[in-house]
Amino acid sequence: MSISPEETQIIKSILQHCEDGTTDMQPELMRNPVTTYTDPEINAREIETLFRKFPIIMGHSKQLPDASSYITNDELGVPLLITRNKDGQVKAFMNVCRHRGARLTDSPCGHAKTLSCPYHKWTYDLDGNLRGLPHAAGFGDINKQELGLVELPAFERFGLIWVRPSVSDEPLDLDAWIAPMSEQFQSLDLEDHVVYREWSLDRKMNWHLALEGFQESYHFCGAHEHTACAGYLDNQSIWLDKYPHVRHAVPLPKVVDLKDQDPDNWDYRGNFLTQNYVFPCNYIQVMTDHVYIHTIIPTGVDSCIFKCIMLIPEAPKTEKAEKYWQKNYDVIRTVFNEDFEIGESIQKGLNAGANNEFLFGRYEIGLQLGTKAIHDALEGRLTT
């Protein structure tokens, strides 16, 4: 499998680190106030900015398998109806009738050419157009074209569905937004993958604590001493700042064998876990042969939702394949739970007064880069 010049440089850098006993580091420490995790006003600002003004990955293309399919989602605090219309295009709307505000559907997914409000049967197609209403004469000369569902910016790229969950006059060029990561994402062929498992967890911790578990590998041999630790080099990673996104390459121990191979024969993916932070709240976590899509959503200052989609190259065709993917699923659930249990224990102690700030070490690079991008967005220095 051919690798990109960027991946060739990642391998060269990690081999040099292994030879020198070093790792990537930032110039200085960063100090993050504990109020980031405890202040309801900060949490409200983050929801209003990060979770309304920026595109968020809401699913995989196979979850809208054909024309007239739809999915719904309320976890962002906005009732979303995401559809694939008769032309195969992905659309997103508020799942709210324009007559009296009732939800059009409570089904998590389905197929339909039209959806009718259960209250008064106003009916909409999957392009959001108001197609009909009973006893229309009672509403005079209303313009049905002005009473379609409220549309939200939606995109389908790299086999993933992206939605900006608010109405805005500000344009959104998703291709430009994700351009720093596009070469890598395009190479993954995620549109040809299938969903093996999808799950959603309510956790009792600030959303930053859940996000931060993916933003450094310093904790691997602490939190994951008996699980993930042995699978990777200890605290040796390569970080690429793709502002506001981040590519984090975590090497497997066997990467050192590449030093004796011709670089033309190097295999990147088989030797790395790649953790891709997609601002503001997604991670595309690339394993050696499958991929996880993570979405972390605040539901309060001390609670969040963790969503995950496990993507595999093809549906299991044999019992052996099913056991293999089930084992991978079981392992990742165990590893994630180790992070979440620690995150919830941190949340319990935040108001004790032991810490006024947290230290982000020089090799906790993802924490530093991610925090800077979030601060920039909250201060209006970062927009789509």
Side-chain angles (χ1 to χ4, degrees), residues 219-236:
H219 75 282
F220 275 23
C221 286
H224 310 305
E225 181 180 1
H226 304 295
T227 51
C229 172
Y232 304 97
L233 294 183
D234 184 13
N235 197 32
Q236 285 187 302

Side-chain angles (χ1 to χ4, degrees), residues 34-40 209 301-302 344-356 358:
V34 169
T35 51
T36 299
Y37 312 85
T38 61
D39 188 331
L209 294 175
V301 71
D302 57 359
E344 291 185 338
S345 73
I346 293 171
Q347 190 71 44
K348 290 178 180 177
L350 286 175
N351 291 317
N355 294 294
N356 293 320
F358 288 155

Side-chain angles (χ1 to χ4, degrees), residues 191-226:
E191 61 273 12
D192 295 327
H193 284 53
V194 298
V195 177
Y196 179 70
R197 292 284 188 273
E198 179 187 12
W199 66 100
S200 182
L201 303 173
D202 294 304
R203 304 303 307 208
K204 296 179 180 179
M205 57 181 168
N206 183 275
W207 76 281
H208 285 277
L209 294 175
L211 186 71
E212 289 168 5
F214 298 95
Q215 291 182 312
E216 44 89 0
S217 55
Y218 177 45
H219 75 282
F220 275 23
C221 286
H224 310 305
E225 181 180 1
H226 304 295

Side-chain angles (χ1 to χ4, degrees), residues 19-270:
E19 183 176 334
D20 298 340
T22 56
T23 190
D24 278 7
M25 297 182 75
Q26 288 286 84
E28 299 177 347
L29 294 174
M30 175 182 280
R31 299 173 185 272
N32 196 32
V34 169
T35 51
T36 299
Y37 312 85
T38 61
D39 188 331
E41 292 186 5
I42 292 176
N43 185 253
R45 286 178 59 212
E46 290 175 341
I47 292 173
E48 180 63 26
T49 301
L50 306 178
F51 293 88
R52 295 293 182 269
K53 298 181 179 180
F54 293 90
I56 295 172
I57 300 171
M58 295 305 301
H60 184 259
S61 294
K62 295 290 176 61
Q63 293 172 299
L64 292 174
D66 45 43
S68 302
S69 56
Y70 68 86
I71 57 177
T72 63
N73 189 287
D74 296 318
E75 292 169 324
L76 285 168
V78 177
L80 298 179
L81 170 66
I82 305 170
T83 72
R84 189 179 297 281
N85 67 12
K86 63 181 180 181
D87 298 320
Q89 183 180 8
V90 169
K91 297 272 193 172
F93 308 95
M94 290 190 183
N95 186 13
V96 176
C97 179
R98 298 300 305 284
H99 171 217
R100 298 272 295 282
R103 295 169 60 85
L104 295 183
T105 177
D106 284 318
S107 298
C109 60
H111 285 77
K113 292 184 178 179
T114 60
L115 291 170
S116 294
C117 171
Y119 200 5
H120 301 94
K121 295 302 180 183
W122 283 37
T123 300
Y124 304 84
D125 63 25
L126 269 62
D127 282 301
N129 300 307
L130 176 60
R131 306 301 298 178
L133 60 155
H135 309 292
F139 291 88
D141 59 353
I142 61 168
N143 185 346
K144 289 198 295 184
Q145 293 182 346
E146 296 176 352
L147 290 170
L149 298 178
V150 175
E151 188 167 3
L152 305 171
F155 309 87
E156 188 172 18
R157 298 289 190 278
F158 316 115
L160 304 173
I161 297 165
W162 312 65
V163 177
R164 181 169 68 185
S166 66
V167 178
S168 174
D169 293 331
E170 297 180 7
L172 172 54
D173 184 342
L174 186 76
D175 293 319
W177 173 251
I178 205 65
M181 310 290 273
S182 62
E183 180 182 55
Q184 183 201 169
F185 292 170
Q186 190 67 48
S187 72
L188 297 174
D189 297 322
L190 294 183
E191 61 273 12
D192 295 327
H193 284 53
V194 298
V195 177
Y196 179 70
R197 292 284 188 273
E198 179 187 12
W199 66 100
S200 182
L201 303 173
D202 294 304
R203 304 303 307 208
K204 296 179 180 179
M205 57 181 168
N206 183 275
W207 76 281
H208 285 277
L209 294 175
L211 186 71
E212 289 168 5
F214 298 95
Q215 291 182 312
E216 44 89 0
S217 55
Y218 177 45
H219 75 282
F220 275 23
C221 286
H224 310 305
E225 181 180 1
H226 304 295
T227 51
C229 172
Y232 304 97
L233 294 183
D234 184 13
N235 197 32
Q236 285 187 302
S237 297
I238 301 298
W239 299 87
L240 300 181
D241 185 359
K242 304 283 189 174
Y243 182 85
H245 320 295
V246 181
R247 180 174 184 169
H248 175 201
V250 186
L252 279 64
K254 65 188 181 75
V255 74
V256 297
D257 296 336
L258 297 181
K259 68 181 179 180
D260 299 321
Q261 296 182 15
D262 185 337
D264 290 339
N265 297 323
W266 279 351
D267 169 30
Y268 171 81
R269 187 166 175 183

Side-chain angles (χ1 to χ4, degrees), residues 302-313:
D302 57 359
S303 62
C304 67
I305 293 171
F306 173 79
K307 292 175 60 65
C308 186
I309 302 172
M310 179 179 175
L311 301 175
I312 62 176

Side-chain angles (χ1 to χ4, degrees), residues 319-364:
E319 183 178 354
K320 180 180 179 181
E322 175 61 36
K323 287 182 177 179
Y324 174 78
W325 293 121
Q326 182 65 41
K327 181 179 179 180
N328 276 273
Y329 169 76
D330 292 340
V331 168
I332 208 71
R333 289 295 301 263
T334 298
V335 172
F336 288 174
N337 195 59
E338 289 170 343
D339 283 320
F340 296 152
E341 287 184 350
I342 291 174
E344 291 185 338
S345 73
I346 293 171
Q347 190 71 44
K348 290 178 180 177
L350 286 175
N351 291 317
N355 294 294
N356 293 320
E357 59 187 13
F358 288 155
L359 296 179
F360 292 168
R362 292 178 60 198
Y363 29 66
E364 295 180 303

